[in-house]
């Protein structure tokens, strides 16, 4: 998408259709499904009813085959099958870490690859979802930032990750495709479905890409994820992480309304310019002001500041004190998430020592601000924060510098 008034760093192509000429219904709004059905010849009233039924089957029941839609007349199902599909990303590779974290390498219809990660915990299960193939930005500590090829993921490809995770975790209610009784009866077992005890409870837009550089598709996808007659995840269980695309932050709050995480990572211009180059476009003051203005942020719903711990770069006591000062100066309802740097081949940084991270965390806690240290998850399968990259190559330092320069030039 073009960001109004600003240069969008990389133009992205259109997404080819999966399933030949058939239209993939995943990612379309209910209204768009209805419009498709009208276009294909149904009258307005029938289209409205069918759209509602199809929506329910796709997002509440996880069905991918029209034949399983038992409240739609048998004679109509082949008509739907001829015209539409309910797609899933192709799974190229699925890996499980020794800590239970799972990572999937997925392929879009055009062969572009992206990754998603599931992180199980005692009290929750978090799906880390990608918004782009690669990333137009190139934070120096992030593996995804070294990818040259970038395209936005479509809403359907973003929601598709959630649907696929539900498939893989076996979390659809009974009566899905495989076991649905083949009758024209109304869907009578929907009432048995409860959200209790489900594994996938939270979503973080923290996979590959910068979600606010793909605003419309991310918004469309999250609206679907939050829709009450479907996946029905509460906005309180969804977090969108941005590296600081300031002009889109207010809209994210107003139009999507999920929790906000901001990748701050440094407290002065010199260091942030180096490690999060977007800072040269939208500086720390502007970013923190946008946080202060973020709709819906309050003490019950704090903004999370992500802070990657890089040895001798951003991890001094002085940095911790300055972080506290800034949070207080802007009166931000905030918590800090300290992320030990996750290494990747060729990365130009090292992780701070555990003692340093602990001390940094203590200094912030002592000032009355929560600053837990994130336990790295899935490092052994390169699934931890900032390790995602669809093709595992080891570029030379010169190549990394070249990619950084190209992206910086494109940013303007
Ligand atoms: N593009 C978005 C969201 C994806 S990155 C953003 O930058 O916010 C999710 C989080 O992982 C961000 O806070 C990012 O800065 C952090 N991260 C990136 N590379 C990392 C690495 N190698 N080690 C630890 N955290 C990293
Ligand atoms: Fe992109 Fe986020 Fe990685 Fe920065 S940290 S390069 S914005 S994915």
């Amino acid at each position: 998408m073009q960001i109004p008034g600003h240069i969008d760093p990389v133009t992205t192509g259109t997404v080819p259709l999966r399933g030949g000429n058939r239209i993939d219904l995943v990612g379309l709004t209910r209204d768009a499904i209805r419009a498709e059905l009208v276009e294909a010849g149904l009258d307005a009233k029938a289209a409205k009813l069918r759209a509602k039924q199809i929506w329910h089957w796709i997002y509440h029941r996880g069905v991918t085959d029209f034949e399983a839609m038992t409240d739609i007349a048998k004679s109509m199902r082949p008509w739907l099958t001829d015209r539409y599909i309910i797609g899933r990303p192709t799974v190229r590779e699925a890996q499980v870490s020794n800590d239970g974290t799972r990572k999937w390498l997925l392929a879009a219809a055009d062969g572009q690859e992206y990754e998603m990660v599931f992180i199980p915990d005692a009290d929750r299960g978090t799906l880390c979802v990608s918004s782009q193939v690669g990333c137009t930005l190139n934070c120096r500590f992030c593996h995804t930032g070294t990818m040259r090829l970038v395209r936005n993921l479509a809403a359907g490809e973003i929601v598709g990750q959630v649907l696929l995770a539900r498939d893989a975790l076996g979390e659809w209610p009974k009566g899905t495709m495989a076991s649905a009784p083949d009758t024209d009866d109304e869907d009578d077992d929907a009432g048995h479905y409860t959200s209790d005890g489900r594994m996938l409870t939270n979503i973080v837009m923290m996979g590959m890409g910068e979600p606010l550089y793909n605003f419309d598709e991310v918004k469309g996808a999250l609206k679907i994820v939050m829709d009450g007659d479907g996946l029905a995840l509460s906005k309180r269980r969804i977090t969108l992480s941005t590296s600081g695309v300031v002009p889109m932050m207010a809209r994210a709050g107003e139009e999507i309304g999920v929790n906000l995480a901001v990748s701050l990572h440094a407290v002065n211009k010199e260091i942030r310019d180096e490690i999060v180059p977007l800072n040269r476009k939208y500086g720390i003051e502007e970013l923190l002001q946008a946080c202060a203005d973020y709709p819906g942020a309050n003490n019950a719903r704090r903004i999370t500041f992500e802070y990657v711990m890089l040895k001798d770069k951003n991890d001094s006591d002085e940095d911790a004190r300055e972080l506290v000062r800034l949070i207080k100066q802007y009166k931000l309802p905030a918590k800090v998430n300290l992320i030990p740097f996750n290494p990747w081949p060729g990365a130009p940084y090292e992780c701070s020592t555990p003692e340093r991270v602990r001390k940094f965390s203590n200094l912030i806690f002592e000032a009355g601000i929560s600053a837990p240290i994130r336990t790295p998850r899935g490092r052994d399968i390169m699934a931890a924060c900032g390790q995602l990259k669809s093709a595992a190559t080891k570029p030379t330092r010169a190549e990394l510098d070249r990619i950084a320069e190209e992206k910086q030039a494109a940013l303007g």
Side-chain angles (χ1 to χ4, degrees), residues 1 3-4 9 19 23 36 87 99 122 131 141 145 196 198 201 213 255 287 289 302 313 329 377 383 403 408 410:
M1 61 164 281
I3 297 189
I23 294 166
E36 284 295 343
D99 68 16
S131 57
F141 47 82
D196 299 336
R198 241 192 254 147
T201 59
Y213 270 146
E255 298 176 32
L287 176 58
Q289 190 54 49
R302 292 167 190 272
K313 184 53 73 179
Q329 182 191 334
R377 299 289 303 268
I403 293 168
Q408 195 56 43

Side-chain angles (χ1 to χ4, degrees), residues 26-103:
V26 174
L28 300 188
T29 61
R30 231 189 244 96
D31 270 354
I33 296 178
R34 189 180 45 74
E36 284 295 343
L37 295 173
V38 168
E39 177 106 325
L42 292 193
D43 67 53
K45 196 160 162 254
K48 191 166 177 213
L49 172 68
R50 295 300 177 213
K52 188 168 181 292
Q53 291 169 313
I54 291 170
W55 178 279
H56 185 82
W57 282 108
I58 297 178
Y59 295 112
H60 191 79
R61 303 289 291 271
V63 156
T64 54
D65 183 350
F66 293 101
E67 280 305 322
M69 299 186 178
T70 49
D71 57 355
I72 292 178
K74 255 195 182 129
S75 56
M76 179 151 207
R77 296 179 212 160
W79 185 89
L80 290 167
T81 306
D82 284 346
R83 288 167 178 76
Y84 309 108
I85 61 159
I86 301 162
R88 290 288 190 268
T90 304
V91 178
R92 283 268 156 81
E93 206 182 335
Q95 288 173 281
V96 184
S97 156
N98 51 29
D99 68 16
T101 301
R102 298 169 70 167
K103 180 172 94 167

Side-chain angles (χ1 to χ4, degrees), residues 118-301:
F118 179 71
I119 308 140
D121 273 306
D123 60 341
R124 67 172 71 181
T126 306
L127 187 69
C128 180
V129 171
S130 291
S131 57
Q132 297 183 308
V133 173
C135 184
T136 51
L137 301 172
N138 75 308
C139 304
R140 295 294 271 164
F141 47 82
C142 175
H143 205 196
T144 308
T146 67
M147 285 177 69
R148 258 215 178 88
L149 205 60
V150 180
R151 90 156 161 76
N152 284 336
L153 290 175
E157 294 169 326
I158 298 169
V159 176
Q161 296 171 61
V162 183
L163 299 178
L164 192 73
R166 275 267 161 90
D167 293 349
L169 298 168
E171 292 209 300
W172 296 110
K174 73 184 182 76
T176 52
M177 187 169 61
S179 55
D182 190 17
T183 68
D184 282 355
D185 291 344
E186 280 293 308
D187 166 22
D188 62 356
D189 55 5
H192 300 193
Y193 181 36
T194 70
S195 57
D196 299 336
R198 241 192 254 147
M199 285 173 77
L200 199 175
T201 59
N202 291 54
I203 289 180
V204 291
M205 296 302 302
M206 294 188 187
M208 293 164 73
E210 168 47 58
L212 295 189
Y213 270 146
N214 186 16
F215 185 84
D216 291 342
E217 302 298 318
V218 166
K219 174 182 163 185
L222 291 181
K223 289 276 179 208
I224 291 174
V225 169
M226 293 187 281
D227 188 282
D229 182 28
L231 297 160
L233 221 74
S234 152
K235 64 181 182 178
R236 291 187 166 66
R237 292 189 170 274
I238 303 174
T239 301
L240 183 150
S241 175
T242 180
S243 55
V245 184
V246 167
M248 301 308 286
M249 284 168 59
R251 278 189 68 194
E254 279 151 19
E255 298 176 32
I256 311 176
V258 296
N259 302 320
L260 181 70
V262 172
S263 295
L264 190 62
H265 304 315
V267 289
N268 64 56
K269 177 166 167 53
E270 191 198 339
I271 306 292
R272 196 162 192 270
D273 275 357
E274 176 192 327
I275 66 179
V276 185
L278 185 64
N279 194 64
R280 299 176 207 170
K281 197 165 181 182
Y282 310 118
I284 293 178
E285 290 75 21
E286 243 183 298
L287 176 58
L288 295 179
Q289 190 54 49
C291 291
D293 298 340
Y294 187 73
N298 54 46
N299 278 330
R301 289 187 76 202

